[in-house]
Amino acid sequence: MTDISGFQGRTVPVSQGFNDIADQLLTETYWCFTVKNTQRASSIVQLSQAVSAVMGAGFAAATLGLWIVPSVAFQTDSALIRAGASVFFVIFSFFFISYANRGTVSELQIDLSLGEVREVLRHRSGSSSLLAHYGFDAFTGLSIDRSSGSPLQVKLILHHQDEAHDLVVATGNEPQIGKLFGRLERDLLRSEGSRPLAAVSPKPLT
């Protein structure tokens, strides 16, 4: 974690050249922009969340059933047992539904006003959780990962001083990642005096 309290925020004009990817990867905000990672969650995670949603709904239904089924609703001698079971079912329902609604892919928020990068998990319910935040000076550079062998599955990697905290910014096609590379280099790594790579499909400049 990097101390960013002394960072002096600077405003950088938004380039119109990135508008064509804004609806896919990049969303402009008043403090700068958000990058959405389009990488899909694994099938195992999707399946486990679907099962959790069913289990959560089942426990919620069971809780209601303990109190509205006519054959047991008026049995006072079993009220204490039903109350205890209800607490048990509600707790399990809450945890299952919470996991089912949990987001699967994080997004990065590049905040020029605070000089920080925030890694945020956006949940299906619309809420979000802050996973980590870093000062701009914590990052040393950008690179593009083409190890998938497909021009449609290219990753943009933001390198941290501690390699264990390297961030996958986004996964997309070559033009998308190339333009995003240029935008991040300009706004986040702008302290570097010159650009060694082209912005679109980055290659060494000659």
Side-chain angles (χ1 to χ4, degrees):
M1 194 72 67
T2 301
D3 182 8
I4 59 172
S5 58
F7 181 89
Q8 298 297 319
R10 289 178 287 176
T11 301
V12 178
V14 174
S15 171
Q16 296 300 318
F18 296 97
N19 286 350
D20 58 341
I21 65 170
D23 60 340
Q24 301 174 42
L25 296 179
L26 187 148
T27 301
E28 301 288 353
T29 68
Y30 70 92
W31 34 262
C32 200
F33 61 90
T34 295
V35 181
K36 179 178 64 176
N37 196 330
T38 57
Q39 185 177 4
R40 289 180 174 271
S42 68
S43 57
I44 294 177
V45 172
Q46 294 179 7
L47 178 61
S48 64
Q49 288 190 323
V51 172
S52 293
V54 174
M55 294 290 291
F59 276 109
T63 303
L64 290 175
L66 289 174
W67 298 100
I68 65 175
V69 173
S71 60
V72 297
F74 301 104
Q75 295 180 7
T76 57
D77 57 338
S78 63
L80 186 60
I81 296 176
R82 282 183 287 144
S86 296
V87 172
F88 174 82
F89 289 163
V90 167
I91 291 174
F92 271 78
S93 177
F94 172 79
F95 281 112
F96 277 121
I97 293 177
S98 295
Y99 177 71
N101 287 327
R102 182 177 173 81
T104 56
V105 179
S106 62
E107 66 180 28
L108 292 185
Q109 298 178 351
I110 313 300
D111 192 332
L112 288 181
S113 64
L114 296 178
E116 69 177 14
V117 175
R118 295 184 291 270
E119 189 176 8
V120 174
L121 191 63
R122 187 76 61 182
H123 305 301
R124 292 183 175 86
S125 61
S127 62
S128 60
S129 299
L130 179 65
L131 301 180
H133 70 282
Y134 312 91
F136 283 180
D137 59 343
F139 298 101
T140 59
L142 292 161
S143 67
I144 293 181
D145 182 0
R146 298 183 176 87
S147 60
S148 68
S150 170
L152 302 178
Q153 293 292 318
V154 179
K155 294 180 180 179
L156 180 60
I157 310 296
L158 183 58
H159 295 287
H160 193 275
Q161 293 173 356
D162 180 356
E163 294 182 359
H165 293 129
D166 286 356
L167 301 175
V168 177
V169 178
T171 301
N173 58 44
E174 284 273 4
Q176 289 175 327
I177 297 303
K179 291 179 180 180
L180 191 56
F181 181 103
R183 179 65 184 272
L184 279 170
E185 186 188 40
R186 188 197 72 182
D187 287 356
L188 195 152
L189 305 175
R190 60 191 180 279
S191 60
E192 297 182 10
S194 62
R195 174 180 294 165
L197 303 173
V200 178
S201 192
K203 296 179 180 178
L205 295 175
T206 56

